Amino acid sequence: MRPVKRGAGAPRIYGKYQDAIGDLEGCFGCYCSYCERRFPALLAVEHVSPKSTDAARETDWTNFLLGCVNCNSTKGNTPTNDQDFLWPDKDNTLMAIDYRAGGLVEPSLALDPRIAPKAAALIDLVGLDRHPGQPAAKQPTDRDKRYVEREEKWQLAQLMRNRLTRNNTDDFRELLVIAAKESGFFSIWIAAFHDDPDMRRRLVEAHVGTARDCFEIDWTLKARVGGHI
C-alpha cells in the first residue's frame, strides 16, 4: 500500500467534506488510498475515523483519504484508531503488506510480531485479501474485482520488467513510468522493480503525494518517523 503525505496543513476550510475531493486528488493523485486502483473519476472522500461515530472530524483534512466503492463499502462505519491499525498517511505501509502472484495480499512475513496484527487489521478493514481462494468469510462479492485487477497488473509489471532487460533505455524507462501511472497499483510496480533503484526513484517521483521519507537514499524502504513502521 503506497504511503502518502498530505502536506503541512489543510489547503482550506471545508463547509462540507465532499468539497475536499479535488484537493485530495491533487495531493494524492486519482488513486484509492487502500487498493491503489486508478480512478480518474468516482473516488470519494474517505473518513479514516468514520463520520458517523466521530462527527467532530467530519470536515477535518487530517481525517481524509481517497476511497473507491469497494474499499469504502467494506470499511463502512467500523470504528478505527491509530493504535490497532496501520495507515498509509502515518506509516510506511509498503513495508507492511506483501503482494503476490494471483492477486494475493497478506501482511509481510518480515514484520515485527507487534506490528503484524496492525497490518492484518488494515487489510481486513477494507477487504484487500478478499479472494476466491480464501475461506468463506473472505470471499469477494460478485462486484469486487480488486483481486482480478491486481493479478492483471502483476502480470503487466512482470512483463514490462522482462522487456526492460532487452530494451534498457531511458526512453523505455519513461514509458514504464507512464504505464505504471495509468495502471495504478503502485505497490505492485515497486515490488516488480525491487532491485532497480532508478526505476523505484522514477516511480516515486512520478506519483504525486508519495511519502519520500519512507525511502532511503538508495530507494530501499525505511521506517517512517512517528509511525509504527
Side-chain angles (χ1 to χ4, degrees), residues 113 116 139:
Q139 288 292 304

Side-chain angles (χ1 to χ4, degrees), residues 25-212:
E25 290 176 339
C27 185
F28 300 143
C30 296
Y31 305 94
C32 177
S33 299
Y34 299 115
C35 72
E36 302 181 314
R37 287 182 296 174
R38 180 175 181 267
F39 290 94
L42 303 179
L43 284 171
V45 177
E46 203 287 299
H47 293 82
V48 176
S49 180
K51 62 184 183 297
S52 60
T53 58
D54 194 358
R57 300 189 67 196
E58 181 172 345
T59 58
D60 180 359
W61 172 253
T62 66
N63 193 37
F64 295 157
L65 289 173
L66 287 167
C68 71
V69 65
N70 294 122
C71 291
N72 251 335
S73 60
T74 304
K75 181 173 178 285
N77 296 324
T78 304
T80 63
N81 57 59
D82 290 342
Q83 290 73 49
D84 299 321
F85 299 85
L86 300 181
W87 299 107
D89 61 329
K90 298 180 176 69
D91 301 290
N92 190 345
T93 38
L94 268 177
M95 297 179 70
I97 300 175
D98 283 343
Y99 297 79
R100 298 192 287 114
L104 297 170
V105 176
E106 62 185 8
S108 172
L109 297 177
L111 283 178
D112 185 307
R114 296 170 295 179
I115 304 298
K118 305 178 194 297
L122 173 58
I123 291 170
D124 185 66
L125 180 70
V126 295
L128 282 187
D129 56 351
R130 293 188 176 182
H131 190 281
Q134 292 279 39
K138 292 185 178 292
Q139 288 292 304
T141 65
D142 290 342
R143 297 185 66 83
D144 183 358
K145 302 299 184 185
R146 289 175 293 179
Y147 71 94
V148 175
E149 294 187 49
R150 273 198 303 271
E151 172 59 9
E152 291 173 349
K153 299 313 185 294
W154 176 276
Q155 292 180 6
L156 175 62
Q158 295 301 319
L159 173 66
M160 298 299 275
R161 174 186 167 87
N162 291 336
R163 289 188 175 178
L164 180 62
T165 63
R166 303 194 299 271
N167 186 23
N168 194 351
T169 64
D170 193 63
D171 284 347
F172 191 71
R173 287 175 176 264
E174 290 180 6
L175 287 174
L176 268 174
V177 172
I178 293 171
K181 287 185 66 178
E182 288 297 311
S183 77
F185 295 95
F186 173 86
S187 295
I188 287 174
W189 289 90
I190 283 287
F193 294 98
H194 63 92
D195 56 352
D196 189 327
D198 177 70
M199 277 306 306
R200 289 166 71 90
R201 174 189 63 79
R202 290 172 187 256
L203 289 166
V204 171
E205 291 179 348
H207 286 80
V208 63
T210 304
R212 299 194 187 187

